[in-house]
Amino acid sequence: NKQSTLFLCQMVVVEDIGASIQSSTSADWIAEKAIDGNRGLQQLRTGCSSTLNETNPWWRLDLHDVYRVSEVVVTNRKDCCAEQINGAEIHIGNSLENNGINNPICAVIPDIPAGESNNYSCDGLDGRYMIIHIPGDWKILTLCEVEVYGYLAENLAVAGAAIQSSTFEDWFAEKAIDRGLQQLYTECSSTLNETYPWWRLDLRHIYRVSKVVITNRKDCCAELINGAEIRIGNSLENNGTNNPICAVIPDIPAGESYSYSCDGMEGRYMNLIIPGDMKILTLCEVKVYGEGIHQ
């Protein structure tokens, strides 16, 4: 059974690792029908997903991890209304802001002939989410198959060693790099309530860090992360908190993952710190992406 696929070292099935959702659903044209492996039977309209007629309809695939996406293949409906896909945008990224529509654009679909499949190159855009969106009013988004191809981006954090300024009960520093489920608060790290709490990851080698992805807790207290600083560098002075700042986190909605660009900052250590008194630093997942420096 040929399914929508992602190529890593071997073929894997998106249906097994991805989850789809859309802005609305027309009758039984559910989001999952766009990744059911039914590309060859798109002439059967019941094998497609479709939104209602609405403003800015969207369809989103959660890949459950960050991939470097090389190509997206979209199959249009064959029975009628092929022009409805015209102007659809393909977005790739790690943000769920505005339902993921604010992520970078891979391609804009000018049109796809009825019943045909068109390929769109994404040139290795990184992202956990792939979104197809049609801007404008009175639009219907119908998809008869969506296929995503790429490679799993290497998360440098899983090979590192984590430590934090203090530990609340069994909320150990390591839980922030265990690929745990952020909705389960027991799978997160947390400091005590203290002055300038910090969490540090030793990558064991010097990397040019392109991006850091932070997942916030879902159960409560999402605002605890507000104001946290991400620092990258090679110094352990002041527990590493003197290293240069990559980004400041204004906020992350409960249970969501936000991506912060570090533009190739070099360092062995990645720190998160919240300046101020009576602060708690809780992290449900930290992922770090970059490339090694050959010395």
Side-chain angles (χ1 to χ4, degrees), residues 111-139:
D111 62 85
I112 302 176
E116 295 194 10
S117 303
N118 282 6
N119 296 34
Y120 303 92
S121 174
C122 295
D123 296 324
L125 269 175
D126 283 355
R128 171 176 171 172
Y129 304 106
M130 194 284 294
I131 301 94
I132 299 178
H133 155 246
I134 303 181
D137 299 323
W138 294 97
K139 302 290 184 180

Side-chain angles (χ1 to χ4, degrees), residues 38-59:
N38 198 23
R39 178 177 175 180
L41 298 175
Q42 67 270 15
Q43 64 269 29
L44 304 177
R45 57 183 176 84
T46 54
C48 307
S49 70
S50 182
T51 68
L52 299 170
N53 193 330
E54 61 182 340
T55 299
N56 297 330
W58 55 265
W59 180 95

Side-chain angles (χ1 to χ4, degrees), residues 26 129 151 155 162 175 192 229 265:
S26 175
Y129 304 106
Y151 295 88
N155 173 17
K175 289 188 173 182
L192 299 170
E229 300 172 350
M265 289 178 68

Side-chain angles (χ1 to χ4, degrees), residues 64-129:
H64 296 307
D65 214 327
V66 178
Y67 287 83
R68 291 192 175 95
V69 177
S70 57
E71 184 178 62
V72 174
V73 181
V74 179
T75 301
N76 203 3
R77 65 189 296 174
K78 187 174 183 178
D79 59 322
C80 78
C81 323
E83 72 283 355
Q84 289 179 350
I85 197 71
N86 297 1
E89 300 172 349
I90 300 172
H91 296 256
I92 307 287
N94 293 294
S95 173
L96 285 176
E97 186 177 4
N98 195 20
N99 296 305
I101 295 168
N102 290 359
N103 284 309
I105 291 178
C106 155
V108 177
I109 300 173
D111 62 85
I112 302 176
E116 295 194 10
S117 303
N118 282 6
N119 296 34
Y120 303 92
S121 174
C122 295
D123 296 324
L125 269 175
D126 283 355
R128 171 176 171 172
Y129 304 106

Side-chain angles (χ1 to χ4, degrees), residues 172-178 187-189 199 283-286:
F172 305 116
E174 295 83 357
K175 289 188 173 182
I177 56 171
D178 64 357
E187 297 300 327
C188 307
S189 70
W199 180 95
L283 300 165
C284 288
E285 197 67 25
V286 177

